[in-house]
Amino acid sequence: MKRPVAAVAGTGRGVPAHVMTNHDFAAIGIETSHDWIFERSGIVERHIAKNGETTCSMASEASRKAMDAAGVHPGEIDVIILATATPDRLLPSTAVDIQAELGATRAAAFDIGAACSGWLYAMTTAEGLIMSGTAETALVIGAEKMSAIVDWKDRSTCVLFGDGAGAVVLQRSKGGKGILSAYMRSDGKLADLLYRPEGGATTPMSADVLEKRSHLVRMAGREVFKHAVRSMSDAADRALDGARLTGTDIDLLIPHQANMRIIEATAKHSGIPMEKVFVNVDRYGNTSSASIPIALNEAIESGRVKDGSTVMMVAFGAGFTWASMVIRF
Ligand code: UT7
């Protein structure tokens, strides 16, 4: 096991106040039911951005709370890395908007796109910057306004996602705490199973694209499900191997919150009982890159992550991408 170089100094979350339950879909003409959504995914409700809430505003709220918890001022942040699939604008990055909003004048800021695995990719990148001496203090955010890119006419996807942001201040480690292992993988051959077909530089937004709704998320749910179970299990094995640990050493598993059945399969594969698994997919749905940092913040707030806890995080998402990390708190 390597000596940890980077450790979590504080966490925060910023989620919209508006809650949409499974029953609320009827009011917008979606033919679905609470039972279908809950049985297939474990989701009961999700937060949806309203009244001008943006990826930047949710991320900034999460970041302020994370900096408060860490006792760090905006001027001390060396780098801001935002994992998002829903930047507010295509140019420049949303990370620079967050930098301006926070007044983090010394920071370099950029976005990372790795879909639901994005925050673990961002954490691994930040760890590397701290390890190389390029940064001492990093703000690592996962923030998504998924409600802006899902197809509200496609019942097979729109019921699954939610909005929100989570943030972590990552600093040089002291006293053996911090990231014990990290793992990242991708398989671009499977990109078309979960994607937004058009509206990018190849086929810019046009009346035709809007008419076809091909700028919105499309997902082959059943295929994605199979790969998610396989890849998250693989990622969990790699993170444990990297940290020279087994499932029994893990105090809490925080998996990406996409689907209760995927979460249960991942935990079972690693020999981790469900009492040691953090679940909030029922209250948030799938918030993509924000799901793990929101869950981590809630786990710390509720006392399920304490001083000395060993926590494993595992994610899977569009790309496909998958990733994992073990952190000692
Ligand atoms: O963040 C990482 C990426 N995302 C994921 O990890 C999600 C992975 N996939 C899944 O979680 C599951 O595949 C879903 C929850 C999306 C769907 O569950 P499923 O058991 O794979 O259902 P299905 O897509 O095969 O659909 C079964 C049926 C279909 O009807 P027929 O053809 O069997 O008559 C659908 O038309 O359910 C129907 N259906 C719905 N019915 C009521 C699809 N969406 C809905 C809906 N309400 N919202």
Side-chain angles (χ1 to χ4, degrees), residues 2-297:
K2 67 173 183 160
R3 259 186 67 229
V5 174
V8 172
T11 68
R13 68 178 186 275
V15 295
H18 179 71
V19 172
M20 182 179 187
T21 72
N22 290 347
H23 299 287
D24 294 334
F25 284 97
I28 56 164
I30 302 287
E31 211 180 299
T32 188
S33 66
H34 166 78
D35 290 351
W36 191 96
I37 300 169
F38 183 67
E39 277 162 24
R40 307 280 168 136
S41 69
I43 299 165
V44 174
E45 58 190 33
R46 71 286 293 140
H47 292 252
I48 299 291
K50 293 265 179 204
N51 307 322
E53 283 169 312
T54 62
T55 298
C56 175
S57 70
M58 294 184 282
S60 299
E61 185 187 343
S63 299
R64 284 194 189 96
K65 290 177 182 165
M67 289 188 295
D68 276 356
V72 160
H73 299 292
E76 294 172 69
I77 303 288
D78 299 311
V79 64
I80 298 172
I81 310 179
L82 170 69
T84 190
T86 53
D88 289 328
R89 298 177 288 187
L90 295 182
L91 187 76
S93 71
T94 301
V96 299
D97 291 335
I98 297 166
Q99 175 195 25
E101 176 68 26
L102 298 177
T105 46
R106 277 184 46 211
F110 58 96
D111 291 0
I112 278 189
C116 303
S117 312
W119 186 75
L120 288 179
Y121 272 59
M123 284 287 281
T124 307
T125 304
E127 183 200 25
L129 292 172
I130 290 172
M131 205 181 289
S132 69
T134 304
E136 281 286 323
T137 301
L139 184 58
V140 189
I141 312 159
E144 303 285 7
K145 189 174 166 183
M146 294 302 291
S147 59
I149 65 162
V150 296
D151 186 345
W152 287 96
K153 291 192 162 126
D154 175 8
R155 67 176 183 172
S156 70
T157 51
C158 73
V159 301
L160 301 174
F161 295 94
D163 300 333
V168 152
V169 172
L170 199 67
Q171 283 187 314
R172 190 161 282 284
S173 153
K174 294 180 198 104
K177 290 179 182 175
I179 298 173
L180 303 183
S181 68
Y183 174 73
M184 300 187 289
R185 279 289 299 276
S186 310
D187 186 352
K189 290 201 295 296
L190 301 170
D192 291 2
L193 293 175
L194 175 47
Y195 72 143
R196 295 171 70 189
E198 299 190 295
T202 307
T203 343
M205 197 61 85
S206 65
D208 179 50
V209 169
L210 283 174
E211 168 79 22
K212 289 187 294 183
R213 310 179 73 78
S214 55
H215 59 302
L216 301 171
V217 171
R218 298 221 177 131
M219 177 168 77
R222 217 166 254 188
E223 285 302 304
V224 174
F225 186 96
K226 276 189 271 178
H227 285 283
V229 170
R230 202 175 306 144
S231 302
M232 283 177 67
S233 297
D234 165 62
D237 290 346
R238 304 297 184 124
L240 289 172
D241 285 352
R244 307 247 166 90
L245 298 173
T246 66
T248 52
D249 299 313
I250 298 300
D251 297 308
L252 192 69
L253 171 65
I254 305 183
H256 169 48
Q257 309 282 318
N259 182 307
M260 195 58 197
R261 291 180 292 153
I262 299 174
I263 292 172
E264 285 168 350
T266 306
K268 188 172 173 204
H269 173 86
S270 301
I272 299 175
M274 284 307 289
E275 308 86 75
K276 290 187 172 183
V277 181
F278 192 86
V279 176
N280 65 8
V281 68
D282 52 331
R283 291 180 289 115
Y284 288 100
N286 182 347
T287 58
S288 190
S289 70
S291 95
I292 295 180
I294 289 174
L296 173 63
N297 174 252

